[in-house]
Amino acid sequence: MTPDELEAARDRVIDDVVAGGLSVLFCGINPGLMSAATGHHFARPGNRFWPVLHRAGFTPHQLQPAQQRELLTYGFGITNVVARATARADELSREEYVEGGRLLTAKVERLEPRWLAVVGVMAYRTAFGERAAQVGPQERTIGATRIWVLPNPSGLNAHWSTAAMAEEYGLLREAAEPAPTA
């Protein structure tokens, strides 16, 4: 993909991968230019979302971004806090995050996933006004939907190794598993 093709994808919106009643709805910050150009979430080479998802046990094999709709067969989906594509998340305004949080709340109320997993603690803090939020399960719910904040899988996030991210994502997977029936 050429730099001009990537730049042409700026401000595009890509389709969510969603359905009602999901086990986990993963929520990115916003699409990057590679995602907007391809129409696939977490598409930039170096983004660790797909490898981490597999290592955490959410998928039986590592999916490629073009296979994103396969997530629905496992009870998972993907959306974003802010819909418009940018080269970097720091190009988004606080107002866009807050409006994104409002729209995300309405989406979660409509789709009713068991868990909303926001990948990026700063995005969660800004979108929901939870300045002290940390990675992990949150007290806040949206209706019956619980919220878990996960580390951002971007290759730019040097604070988390792939192994540490997979461990944190794995804790959510364990929490999201259906309770055994008697």
Side-chain angles (χ1 to χ4, degrees):
M1 185 129 336
T2 68
D4 287 344
E5 290 171 320
L6 288 175
E7 189 54 38
R10 184 176 295 279
D11 297 326
R12 281 190 196 158
V13 174
I14 63 174
D15 291 337
D16 289 338
V17 178
V18 297
L22 295 169
S23 178
V24 179
L25 177 58
F26 292 96
C27 181
I29 298 170
N30 75 309
L33 299 182
M34 181 68 75
S35 290
T38 63
H40 303 127
H41 294 270
F42 302 102
R44 183 174 183 85
N47 188 297
R48 298 172 287 178
F49 179 78
W50 299 105
V52 165
L53 216 58
H54 173 61
R55 286 180 70 169
F58 281 101
T59 59
H61 59 276
Q62 184 176 319
L63 300 178
Q64 298 301 310
Q67 297 171 300
Q68 65 187 11
R69 297 206 60 80
E70 191 175 323
L71 278 180
L72 294 172
T73 66
Y74 306 122
F76 312 125
I78 307 176
T79 189
N80 289 289
V81 174
V82 176
R84 80 175 180 96
T86 60
R88 296 177 51 97
D90 62 9
E91 296 175 38
L92 301 171
S93 69
R94 181 184 180 288
E95 293 74 22
E96 285 178 287
Y97 279 108
V98 171
E99 176 66 4
R102 188 187 69 73
L103 294 171
L104 179 59
T105 297
K107 188 178 297 183
V108 168
E109 288 171 341
R110 180 174 49 86
L111 296 173
E112 300 180 322
R114 274 205 327 257
W115 286 92
L116 171 65
V118 179
V119 297
V121 69
M122 294 306 292
Y124 177 77
R125 288 175 182 166
T126 306
F128 291 97
E130 299 277 348
R131 288 189 264 183
Q134 298 295 318
V135 167
Q138 306 300 302
E139 290 297 319
R140 173 191 291 260
T141 61
I142 300 173
T145 300
R146 302 270 329 265
I147 300 171
W148 197 296
V149 175
L150 294 168
N152 183 345
S154 167
L156 300 175
N157 182 1
H159 300 293
W160 287 80
S161 69
T162 299
M165 269 193 259
E167 187 175 320
E168 185 64 35
Y169 280 56
L171 294 173
L172 168 61
R173 184 193 45 77
E174 291 170 9
E177 289 178 350
T181 56

